[in-house]
Amino acid sequence: MKKIEVFLRHCYYSHLQYSSNNRPSWWDKEKVFENFKRTLNPETTNYTIIYDKHHGERENTFLKNEENVYEIDCGKESLSFIETLDYIISQDFENDTIIYFLEDDYIHRPNWDKILIDGFTLPVEYVTLYDHGDKYQEMYKDFMTKVLRTELSHWMPTPSTTNTFAVKFKTLKEDYIIQKKWSVGYEPSADHAKFIELNQKGKNLISSIPGYSTHCQKEFLAPCIDWEKYL
């Protein structure tokens, strides 16, 4: 089995959203997907696309020729996360398999999968490659006082991240109720509150610094990296 199993949530994407004010000028969803495929190592990493067909059929998108696809019909981020979570839990992965929940608007730097594997050499339960810029605030200073080092990267404990994160299958099964709880009745999922609760229960989250991925929202790009060049 692969060391990393990626579950990439995709949904129909209107051309009108390409001009959305919260996206960088270089934003292009198809190029982001090509970046993901180009930067992964197929020897260690497998991916499954979770396609939400509620607002448009996959046959009308650039994903039409993709083979490993599981289709859902949700129409909301929170519902699609729950469907993805339940689908993963139903699989027969080894306990040490790294499950990478990935949303469809993240750019990755080359070798991100090596960094992800490297992160789990530390005694932590959750890893994110997204160096979330808003965590460098005074209110989070207690998390920022310790920098960790592995063979390939530096890491910082962080209180929360988005619904793009990695966790080992054994831990995901243990935390299933909390993972689901903060998506039931919320839109979008209350990911910040979820990771705060996980932290309170001793489940630690770290972020690579600088980031090996970024959320493609203009005000939330991971700092220190020229992300456009990776498209």
Side-chain angles (χ1 to χ4, degrees):
M1 299 181 95
K2 305 288 187 180
K3 290 186 177 181
I4 302 174
E5 291 284 343
V6 182
F7 291 86
L8 172 54
R9 286 192 292 152
H10 257 279
C11 60
Y12 174 77
Y13 201 81
S14 167
H15 289 292
L16 294 175
Q17 291 176 282
Y18 275 85
S19 60
S20 175
N21 290 333
N22 71 339
R23 298 294 189 187
S25 60
W26 40 261
W27 160 253
D28 184 288
K29 190 171 185 179
E30 184 172 1
K31 289 183 179 179
V32 168
F33 179 58
E34 293 301 323
N35 158 269
F36 165 72
K37 292 198 296 182
R38 186 172 62 249
T39 55
L40 66 80
N41 179 1
E43 294 185 2
T44 61
T45 305
N46 183 55
Y47 71 91
T48 301
I49 295 171
I50 309 294
Y51 183 77
D52 188 349
K53 64 181 182 179
H54 189 82
H55 295 295
E57 297 293 334
R58 181 167 59 93
E59 288 71 21
N60 298 323
T61 76
F62 55 82
L63 300 172
K64 60 185 178 182
N65 295 323
E66 288 290 321
E67 296 181 354
N68 199 13
V69 180
Y70 180 71
E71 293 195 353
I72 59 178
D73 187 352
C74 294
K76 293 182 177 181
E77 186 281 329
S78 55
L79 296 179
S80 73
F81 178 80
I82 292 170
E83 288 276 350
T84 301
L85 175 65
D86 286 343
Y87 177 72
I88 295 170
I89 291 293
S90 73
Q91 305 303 299
D92 187 27
F93 295 121
E94 295 179 357
N95 281 336
D96 283 341
T97 300
I98 296 170
I99 306 298
Y100 185 20
F101 287 83
L102 178 59
E103 296 163 287
D104 59 10
D105 57 350
Y106 278 74
I107 294 176
H108 290 79
R109 294 165 61 195
N111 296 316
W112 61 264
D113 33 11
K114 286 184 179 180
I115 302 300
L116 197 58
I117 294 169
D118 191 46
F120 281 100
T121 63
L122 292 168
V124 299
E125 289 72 37
Y126 288 88
V127 174
T128 176
L129 300 174
Y130 175 34
D131 183 18
H132 200 162
D134 76 349
K135 298 302 184 285
Y136 295 90
Q137 300 178 29
E138 180 69 15
M139 62 187 294
Y140 299 126
K141 64 181 181 180
D142 291 342
F143 285 90
M144 298 167 56
T145 57
K146 186 175 183 180
V147 173
L148 310 172
R149 183 181 68 85
T150 55
E151 180 181 355
L152 301 177
S153 184
H154 289 88
W155 302 86
M156 182 178 72
T158 186
S160 69
T161 189
T162 63
N163 258 343
T164 287
F165 61 90
V167 58
K168 288 189 176 180
F169 189 54
K170 179 179 183 294
T171 306
L172 183 65
K173 290 184 290 185
E174 293 171 352
D175 296 342
Y176 171 78
I177 292 176
I178 297 175
Q179 286 288 345
K180 188 171 184 177
K181 167 185 174 181
W182 293 103
S183 289
V184 175
Y186 294 90
E187 184 53 37
S189 301
D191 43 49
H192 178 77
K194 173 171 66 179
F195 281 101
I196 293 298
E197 180 174 353
L198 286 167
N199 179 265
Q200 291 170 346
K201 293 184 179 299
K203 301 299 180 78
N204 296 315
L205 167 69
I206 56 172
S207 170
S208 58
I209 48 175
Y212 270 81
S213 75
T214 189
H215 194 189
C216 290
Q217 288 194 346
K218 191 171 8 179
E219 66 271 37
F220 295 124
L221 293 174
C224 304
I225 304 295
D226 178 9
W227 292 103
E228 182 179 6
K229 74 178 183 180
Y230 293 107
L231 292 187

